[in-house]
Amino acid sequence: MADILQMKGLTKAFGGVIAVNELDLEIHEGEIIAIIGPNGAGKTTLFNLIAGVFSPTRGQIFFHGQDLAGTNDYQRARMGIARTFQDVRLFGNMSVLDNVMVGLHSRSKYGMLSAAFRLPQGHREEASIRLTAINTLNLVGLGQRADINASELTFGQQKLVSIARALATKPRVIMLDEPAAGSNVLETQEISDLAKRILEMGITVILVEHDMRFVMGTAERVVVLDSGEKLAEGTPSQVQNDRRVITAYLGEQEDQI
Amino acid sequence: MPHFIRGRGKMLAIATLVVLLSIVPLLGNNYYTSVLLIIGIHAIVTVGLCLLMGYTGQVSLGHAAFYGIGAYIAAILSKTYHVDPWLAMVVAIIATAAFAFAIGFPVFRLRGNYLAMATLGLGIIIWILFRELDWITGGQSGFLDIPTLSIGGFAFDSDFRFYYLVWGFCLAVMFISQNIVGSRMGRAMRAIRDSESASQSLGINATLVKVKILALSAAYAALAGSLYAYYVGFIDPPPFGFLFSIRLVVMAVVGGLASIWGAIFGAASVRLLTEFLHPFGDIDVVLFGLIIVVVMILSPQGVIRGLGDLWRRISRRLTPS
Ligand SMILES: Nc1ncnc2c1ncn2[C@@H]1O[C@H](COP(=O)(O)OP(=O)(O)OP(=O)(O)O)[C@@H](O)[C@H]1O
Ligand SMILES: [Mg+2]
């Protein structure tokens, strides 16, 4: 299978703290891959590097074989790299539907002049933006909540809206940072199903998650990070039985599993 | 009515229009007409500031500078260079917007308090230029005998006539702004205000959006500034200084930062208060500081919204359950 993303010697240092260290990693097109690791392992930092929020201290990231150096976050979003945030970051003073419609910003183009004088081009695009956003919202099961303020949703629902918002950008790959955190068993199952549906839409899924049952039931491949380094890589069962993983990561959290 | 006048603002707009047009004949050509006219001019600047501060979440404490640049360009071109006043106004608007666009990129590297300081500083620098470049601006003694606007043989040479001109522009600016706020662009603005990083993660170039809105609000300010110059026929630096920048912020806050039509209310409140307190000098500014604090604490959505909420609460109390 072709690689959609390739990390080569990827390193990110914050002063003395090396958050990601000489990481070599390939993400295959059309897979669900989970990145796991203890707190502070560098998972979110890896997402931020791929998304273009941080530039690497050393090393490279390739997207469809193209070096991403010199592109920033909004450009990468337009190239097809979408992400959600560990702390959600919805647009709290906007409706749920508006949140998703913002996701379609870069997939539409009518400008300030069309808007100011309500020219027909803007009208047409706006109608299609609205329709696509409603469909995307239905996909995550929140079509009924379209008109309420995003801040009125439960935390779990907010996470779903942030996924819908990211999907609205029509990505090739989506990075989900702890999508099931703070969700109950039922919601966690729904998010797992959603991840698989996203995959069926032809979008590669990278997820970071602490909930092991979720990871094992969702991902086809797992990468374990520890102190910014790749500790192990393989199928969920291979990783689960890896000695180093058990001592470094699973061991310390045994009672949570 | 042009087809772009539609949507939520329509009823409000018509109501405002009817009230404004019907009270003027009662007032005639006098002091009150001129106060209402100035309110219209200030409302144009305030709407722009609402777009920038309320919708996009970017502070400007130097907006009087754009107002002044517009006024001086229109005045200098039409008087010194004998350019047609309408053309001079168009040039003033475009030049001021272009200037705002250019300074926008370095300025928006800053956020929050630093942005506030930078815009404050810029406003002061430009104000000093108005004062010191006296061979073009007339310096402290001012710039006299600015021609007025006319269409064919019809000159806007009375308060009464100019009043309609100003409010015509003001309402056009209101509709345009309302439409922008409800568009793709408006969504991007609000997204940036609520979470800049999330907006960028969705493909929005936040800096570019901010710069465009700064330029648009500068264009509004320049429109208002040139109208002011043509109306008064004389300009000097004081109306374009730091105090006016602060008054503009108060107008935006009182009207509701994220409210287009509230700008008229904000501009009216501040202007009327300034008129009342005129005998006491600049004491109004002290009061405005207080007003900002009180409004932000009690009703951050603006005074009209606050009163609406209060009314709903009272009427709910009064309805027997
Ligand atoms: N912007 C930053 N500035 C300085 N240090 C940072 C920054 N972001 C992350 N770090 C540091 O980098 C290391 C990795 O952090 P990161 O957020 O990537 O961990 P994580 O694996 O996502 O952890 P968690 O499971 O708690 O979310 C930590 O030591 C963290 O303190
Ligand atoms: Mg994290």
Side-chain angles (χ1 to χ4, degrees), chain A residues 57-77:
Chain A
T57 308
R58 267 194 312 281
Q60 293 157 295
I61 306 171
F62 297 89
F63 177 61
H64 286 306
Q66 184 195 339
D67 193 343
L68 285 177
T71 56
N72 55 33
D73 52 355
Y74 65 82
Q75 289 165 332
R76 292 187 195 183

Side-chain angles (χ1 to χ4, degrees), chain A residues 73-74 77-78 83 85 89 91-94 98 101-103 105-106 108-110 112 115-118 123 126 129 165-166 169, chain B residues 3-4 6-7 175-176 179-180 182-185 187-188 190-191 193-195 197-205 212-213 216:
Chain A
D73 52 355
Y74 65 82
R78 292 173 189 180
R83 61 92 56 94
F85 295 89
R89 303 191 197 174
F91 308 122
N93 297 306
M94 297 170 74
D98 273 350
M101 287 171 82
V102 175
H105 186 88
S106 61
S108 50
K109 60 175 189 298
Y110 82 91
M112 211 136 77
F117 298 101
R118 288 180 171 260
H123 249 300
E126 194 66 13
I129 290 171
R165 186 175 74 172
T169 65
Chain B
H3 75 283
F4 65 87
R6 247 191 307 212
F175 284 116
I176 287 172
N179 288 343
I180 288 175
S183 76
R184 170 177 175 268
M185 187 69 174
R187 274 194 302 273
R190 287 176 287 147
R193 176 195 64 196
D194 286 1
S195 172
S197 58
S199 77
Q200 298 231 131
S201 81
L202 301 172
I204 292 171
N205 181 346
K212 280 183 180 174
I213 296 304
L216 178 68

Side-chain angles (χ1 to χ4, degrees), chain A residues 14 17 19 38-45 54 86 178 210:
Chain A
F14 297 107
V17 180
N39 293 115
K43 307 177 296 290
T44 299
T45 304
F54 299 145
Q86 192 170 342
E178 307 201 5
H210 285 291

Side-chain angles (χ1 to χ4, degrees), chain B residues 28-253:
Chain B
N29 211 355
N30 63 20
Y31 166 75
Y32 294 105
T33 312
S34 81
V35 170
L36 285 174
L37 189 158
I38 293 292
I39 289 172
I41 290 178
H42 289 177
I44 294 173
V45 193
T46 306
V47 183
L49 203 56
C50 287
L51 291 178
L52 186 69
M53 291 183 62
Y55 287 90
T56 321
Q58 308 302 311
V59 175
S60 168
L61 296 183
H63 244 58
F66 299 125
Y67 182 59
I69 293 172
Y72 274 103
I73 293 179
I76 293 165
L77 283 181
S78 59
K79 166 85 189 310
T80 315
Y81 297 98
H82 308 291
V83 175
D84 176 76
W86 289 106
L87 183 62
M89 185 158 111
V90 172
V91 174
I93 293 169
I94 294 174
T96 309
F99 169 69
F101 194 84
I103 60 163
F105 289 97
V107 163
F108 286 125
R109 300 180 80 93
L110 305 171
R111 300 199 152 71
N113 295 338
Y114 297 101
L115 179 63
M117 286 300 128
T119 52
L120 180 73
L122 265 168
I124 292 173
I125 291 169
I126 288 162
W127 181 75
I128 291 173
L129 290 179
F130 294 150
R131 223 183 47 193
E132 299 304 320
L133 299 178
D134 49 8
W135 65 96
I136 27 177
T137 64
Q140 265 163 322
S141 44
F143 194 91
L144 283 156
D145 299 327
I146 304 163
T148 194
L149 292 161
S150 57
I151 298 174
F154 184 88
F156 293 93
D157 52 4
S158 68
D159 285 6
F160 187 69
R161 289 173 173 187
F162 214 88
Y163 177 91
Y164 284 102
L165 183 70
V166 164
W167 280 95
F169 274 115
C170 183
L171 290 175
V173 162
M174 295 288 156
F175 284 116
I176 287 172
S177 306
Q178 188 71 53
N179 288 343
I180 288 175
V181 162
S183 76
R184 170 177 175 268
M185 187 69 174
R187 274 194 302 273
M189 289 155 62
R190 287 176 287 147
I192 291 167
R193 176 195 64 196
D194 286 1
S195 172
E196 189 169 337
S197 58
S199 77
Q200 298 231 131
S201 81
L202 301 172
I204 292 171
N205 181 346
T207 305
L208 187 61
V209 171
K210 291 181 202 171
V211 170
K212 280 183 180 174
I213 296 304
L214 181 71
L216 178 68
S217 73
Y220 287 175
L223 166 66
S226 39
L227 286 172
Y228 174 83
Y230 292 139
Y231 170 59
V232 182
F234 164 82
I235 50 174
D236 60 352
F240 309 113
F242 164 67
L243 289 183
F244 188 59
S245 287
I246 298 303
R247 284 196 187 107
L248 285 169
V249 173
V250 183
M251 292 179 203
V253 168

Side-chain angles (χ1 to χ4, degrees), chain A residues 51-255:
Chain A
V53 174
F54 299 145
S55 45
T57 308
R58 267 194 312 281
Q60 293 157 295
I61 306 171
F62 297 89
F63 177 61
H64 286 306
Q66 184 195 339
D67 193 343
L68 285 177
T71 56
N72 55 33
D73 52 355
Y74 65 82
Q75 289 165 332
R76 292 187 195 183
R78 292 173 189 180
M79 292 165 80
I81 301 174
R83 61 92 56 94
T84 64
F85 295 89
Q86 192 170 342
D87 56 354
V88 197
R89 303 191 197 174
L90 280 194
F91 308 122
N93 297 306
M94 297 170 74
S95 76
V96 171
L97 186 63
D98 273 350
N99 266 269
V100 182
M101 287 171 82
V102 175
L104 284 145
H105 186 88
S106 61
R107 300 294 173 230
S108 50
K109 60 175 189 298
Y110 82 91
M112 211 136 77
L113 213 62
S114 287
F117 298 101
R118 288 180 171 260
L119 302 182
Q121 187 212 355
H123 249 300
R124 272 196 303 276
E125 273 194 48
E126 194 66 13
S128 96
I129 290 171
R130 179 168 292 270
L131 192 68
T132 313
I134 290 172
N135 289 337
T136 313
L137 207 50
N138 283 329
L139 188 79
V140 301
L142 285 175
Q144 302 298 316
R145 320 237 68 186
D147 294 326
I148 70 168
N149 217 30
S151 56
E152 291 167 37
L153 295 175
T154 65
F155 187 68
Q157 289 173 328
Q158 292 195 15
K159 290 229 148 177
L160 288 171
V161 174
S162 77
I163 295 173
R165 186 175 74 172
L167 284 175
T169 65
K170 300 197 168 75
R172 299 300 310 146
V173 56
I174 187 167
M175 301 184 280
L176 308 176
D177 201 344
E178 307 201 5
S183 301
N184 61 32
V185 181
L186 201 72
E187 288 168 337
T188 304
Q189 186 54 47
E190 278 169 17
I191 293 166
S192 177
D193 294 342
L194 177 61
K196 289 168 189 166
R197 254 178 295 145
I198 294 172
L199 186 71
E200 280 165 18
M201 293 161 63
I203 301 165
T204 305
V205 179
I206 312 176
L207 51 89
V208 161
E209 191 48 72
H210 285 291
D211 182 334
M212 280 308 134
R213 197 175 302 141
F214 174 85
V215 169
M216 300 306 161
T218 312
E220 301 155 0
R221 215 156 61 90
V222 178
V223 170
V224 186
L225 286 189
D226 187 25
S227 311
E229 292 181 30
K230 187 164 74 182
L231 198 67
E233 184 175 3
T235 64
S237 55
Q238 282 171 344
V239 167
Q240 239 171 345
N241 297 319
D242 190 299
R243 281 237 68 82
R244 286 167 305 170
V245 176
I246 293 167
T247 48
Y249 174 58
L250 298 174
E252 74 183 51
Q253 300 198 354
E254 213 145 37
D255 31 78

